[in-house]
Amino acid sequence: MRVLIVEDEIPLAETVRHGLTEDGFVVEVVHNGEDAVWAATESTYDVIVLDIMLPKLNGYKVLEEIRERGVWAPVLMLTAKDGEYDQTDAFDLGADDYLTKPFSFLILVARLRALIRRGAPERPVVMTAGDLVLDPVKRRVERAGQEVTLTPREYGLLAYLMRHRGETVSKTQILESVWDPAFDGDPNVVEVYIRYLRLKLDAPFGRNAFETIRGMGYRLDANGG
């Protein structure tokens, strides 16, 4: 199992490298964003561990560039930045998991193994549901050819629903993927944001794409409503 560690704190990077090597991983380490982009595009990895605060290119930019270049290896963001908007930005750009420092090495290994088991299915550059279009590289959303401005949280929710269009997803699944796996607030916040999407993307265009499946969750009509 090949792992790329992108971390500018050299003692931490070496500690993680040693621990993962002892656990049977094949590990490569780079210490800045430019080297990370080069390594991720020149070699194949089963998973990438990516810090946000990096010299030359920050982790967000690295993530954006490798996804734009078609690198779909699962990415775990490992960082001291723990704000909800930091996490939202990471997931919007294509991160698969987020772990804050300080962290448990056992938890890191468990999450890496989970990401590797999940694999790296190719993610389309542009996602569509009828005339609803989301471009994750440009972070642009259009309905019927008209650009629609969304907040970061609205965008994250729409991106999740677009990836699962035609499927029914529960509030729990949405909260774990769009908010935080440890979210302990009011789960009805999902309903609030579904309503925001309806107001921006359905009502002005005479559509009904965001369906409530009673007792189960929500579904985005694969044909855009």
Side-chain angles (χ1 to χ4, degrees):
M1 294 177 287
R2 288 175 52 81
V3 182
L4 175 63
I5 305 292
V6 187
E7 172 59 65
D8 65 325
E9 296 180 38
I10 295 176
L12 174 60
E14 289 306 308
T15 298
V16 173
R17 182 215 291 267
H18 177 75
L20 291 179
T21 300
E22 289 291 310
D23 229 312
F25 293 86
V26 176
V27 184
E28 182 175 344
V29 176
V30 296
H31 302 297
N32 66 70
E34 288 182 358
D35 288 346
V37 172
W38 183 88
T41 52
E42 292 296 317
S43 300
T44 300
Y45 299 95
D46 296 294
V47 67
I48 298 171
V49 179
L50 178 61
D51 191 14
I52 291 178
M53 303 301 291
L54 293 168
K56 298 187 179 180
L57 290 177
N58 67 42
Y60 295 131
K61 187 62 177 176
V62 171
L63 183 57
E64 185 176 14
E65 288 204 15
I66 66 174
R67 292 303 190 223
E68 186 174 354
R69 297 184 189 193
V71 176
W72 306 117
V75 172
L76 182 147
M77 306 299 283
L78 181 62
T79 177
K81 295 171 69 68
D82 61 355
E84 65 174 21
Y85 287 107
D86 298 314
Q87 297 185 44
T88 299
D89 287 343
F91 287 125
D92 285 350
L93 290 170
D96 299 272
D97 202 353
Y98 196 107
L99 186 61
T100 56
K101 303 173 185 176
F103 60 90
S104 160
F105 182 76
L106 291 177
I107 295 298
L108 172 63
V109 171
R111 291 192 175 190
L112 292 182
R113 292 191 184 281
L115 289 175
I116 290 169
R117 286 196 300 271
R118 196 180 307 165
E122 184 169 339
R123 308 168 200 193
V125 175
V126 176
M127 293 181 282
T128 61
D131 63 359
L132 180 58
V133 179
L134 183 147
D135 185 333
V137 174
K138 297 179 180 178
R139 298 188 70 177
R140 179 184 177 94
V141 175
E142 293 183 358
R143 171 67 104 171
Q146 178 179 330
E147 184 173 4
V148 179
T149 301
L150 301 180
T151 67
R153 186 72 76 190
E154 291 165 354
Y155 178 92
L157 175 56
L158 177 62
Y160 180 79
L161 293 173
M162 291 284 275
R163 287 195 296 271
H164 297 276
R165 56 195 177 278
E167 303 175 17
T168 299
V169 292
S170 68
K171 282 185 180 179
T172 299
Q173 289 174 300
I174 292 172
L175 288 170
E176 289 179 349
S177 298
V178 181
W179 271 258
D180 186 290
F183 179 81
D184 61 357
D186 186 349
N188 288 327
V189 69
V190 175
E191 185 176 335
V192 172
Y193 276 84
I194 290 287
R195 183 167 70 249
Y196 292 160
L197 292 182
R198 286 171 174 153
L199 290 172
K200 290 186 176 182
L201 295 169
D202 274 355
F205 302 93
R207 305 288 198 275
N208 186 28
F210 300 93
E211 305 173 80
T212 298
I213 311 301
R214 189 173 299 277
M216 298 180 66
Y218 302 93
R219 180 171 61 210
L220 173 63
D221 188 327
N223 297 314

